[in-house]
Amino acid sequence: MAKQTNFITMTLDKVDFQLQEEHTFNWLKQLGAVFCVFDQQDSGNISFGVENDGQRYFVKYAGAKPIDFTGNPKDAIERLKKAVPVYQSLEHPHLIKLLDYFSTENGYAVVFQWFEGECLHSHWSFGGVAKFTNPKSPFYRFKKLEVEKRLKALDAIFSFHTYVESQKYVAVDFYDGSILYDFKNDETKICDIDFYREAPSRNDLGEDFWGSNRSKSPEEFELGSPIDSITNVFNLGAIAFGLLGGEMDRSFSKWDANQGLYEVARRAVEEDRNNRYSTIKEFYDAWKSVLNQ
């Protein structure tokens, strides 16, 4: 299918963004003034940074047709509605905070507390090689942080997902694009858990199952495979290699932490699920016991 190029440029409070077709955002005015727009997601959502009386909010909206979206806006609306109880069930200090949600004339909006973090996979600003090589890229800057700070970030990620597991949920579509890092305060938060599901679950999409190829487990490419805690152990191990090592190159020579942590991460990303840790808690406990030695 030929890619559309004649996009509509819209402006809200001096911020320009593009859509495939006109859409009304009058409802946004009641929330405040728009100071930034994220319009290059392929999920069907478009998101806004909004400020009101010195308070900032992150507003995720479905119903429009963003430029990288090839699906039906109605499906995006349904997905966003289904995400609300997920954020409610998994509320946690390391997860962005859900504040409000409502239907609009042509869509559905979810409002979160703003977090002053930068996305570690900001493909809209640093796509392709730039993510790894541009000194301004959040991922590049994160990889230059001392190991202790990166370990603290991973601890936030692991502790949140241990909680997810305890609530009988399974992470779906978790990758470095779901990680926000505040470089000023060295604080980490998880965002975009819209596809997390109640456990147990199965791969209902085959190789196009949600997620990044860089952190997906073998079962996330195979129709009908279980998507469970053992799957998530792989995802978290892959994230550890992304933030502390050579990502897809999982050799020890690319690893910035100690041998013990390498062994834990290595076991987590075993191709054969039977050789991985059986729960996120078991993985996290093994990780912490090496850290505390």
Side-chain angles (χ1 to χ4, degrees):
M1 194 171 93
K3 200 163 175 190
Q4 180 180 340
T5 49
N6 54 332
F7 299 122
I8 306 281
T9 298
M10 301 191 66
T11 307
L12 291 174
D13 302 312
K14 301 181 188 158
V15 181
D16 293 343
F17 60 98
Q18 291 189 304
L19 291 173
Q20 294 180 41
E21 57 190 34
E22 290 278 354
H23 196 83
T24 174
F25 291 97
N26 295 340
W27 55 271
L28 251 178
K29 291 191 176 70
Q30 70 197 35
L31 296 178
V34 173
F35 64 86
C36 70
V37 180
F38 303 92
D39 62 351
Q40 292 183 43
Q41 309 300 328
D42 59 7
S43 60
N45 300 323
I46 182 167
S47 300
F48 303 91
V50 176
E51 187 160 359
N52 195 346
D53 283 342
Q55 292 294 315
R56 289 184 153 195
Y57 305 97
F58 179 81
V59 183
K60 188 182 273 196
Y61 176 77
K65 286 188 87 173
I67 55 175
D68 289 336
F69 183 52
T70 53
N72 184 332
K74 284 197 174 73
D75 296 336
I77 291 170
E78 283 314 303
R79 281 199 295 266
L80 192 55
K81 282 182 178 173
K82 277 188 183 155
V84 168
V86 178
Y87 284 91
Q88 291 170 324
S89 302
L90 299 177
E91 187 176 341
H92 188 273
H94 297 312
L95 176 68
I96 60 168
K97 188 170 177 56
L98 173 75
L99 299 175
D100 197 9
Y101 48 92
F102 52 88
S103 290
T104 68
E105 192 182 348
N106 298 304
Y108 192 76
V110 183
V111 183
F112 297 92
Q113 199 168 22
W114 181 263
F115 175 64
E116 229 20 279
E118 296 179 63
C119 175
L120 294 189
H121 182 68
S122 47
H123 62 86
W124 51 92
S125 307
F126 302 99
V129 178
K131 171 183 174 178
F132 306 95
T133 58
N134 189 318
K136 291 183 177 168
S137 143
F139 186 82
Y140 178 94
R141 283 153 50 218
F142 184 86
K143 288 292 291 264
K144 292 289 181 209
L145 293 175
E146 61 223 48
V147 171
E148 281 63 35
K149 287 184 175 179
R150 286 183 277 158
L151 285 170
K152 186 183 160 212
L154 277 170
D155 192 76
I157 293 163
F158 296 165
S159 76
F160 171 67
H161 284 94
T162 304
Y163 180 71
V164 169
E165 179 177 71
S166 75
Q167 296 305 296
K168 308 281 189 286
Y169 271 78
V170 61
V172 173
D173 194 28
F174 176 68
Y175 70 117
D176 52 10
S178 323
I179 303 168
L180 301 174
Y181 191 76
D182 175 351
F183 286 89
K184 193 167 135 215
N185 299 304
D186 292 311
E187 197 183 345
T188 305
K189 283 204 192 280
I190 310 294
C191 66
D192 203 9
I193 62 164
D194 298 24
F195 292 109
Y196 284 34
R197 307 170 172 186
E198 289 184 55
S201 188
R202 293 210 166 263
N203 178 343
D204 48 10
L205 291 170
E207 62 185 56
D208 293 329
F209 193 73
W210 302 101
S212 161
N213 289 354
R214 291 172 288 112
S215 46
K216 272 164 68 168
S217 66
E219 53 266 36
E220 287 170 291
F221 292 92
E222 202 172 308
L223 189 65
S225 289
I227 304 294
D228 54 16
S229 286
I230 303 175
T231 311
N232 283 171
V233 165
F234 186 103
N235 304 142
L236 295 177
I239 288 290
F241 277 105
L243 303 189
L244 283 175
E247 200 162 61
M248 305 288 279
D249 177 352
R250 294 177 182 146
S251 55
F252 182 62
S253 60
K254 294 274 172 71
W255 183 255
D256 293 336
N258 66 33
Q259 177 89 35
L261 291 176
Y262 175 78
E263 300 299 343
V264 175
R266 191 70 228 165
R267 180 176 162 194
V269 295
E270 284 281 354
E271 294 287 305
D272 182 345
R273 6 182 317 122
N274 299 319
N275 295 335
R276 296 177 213 152
Y277 297 96
S278 56
T279 64
I280 295 173
K281 185 180 183 306
E282 189 190 342
F283 162 73
Y284 186 34
D285 285 347
W287 183 267
K288 284 189 294 192
S289 97
V290 173
L291 271 178
N292 296 332
Q293 276 171 10

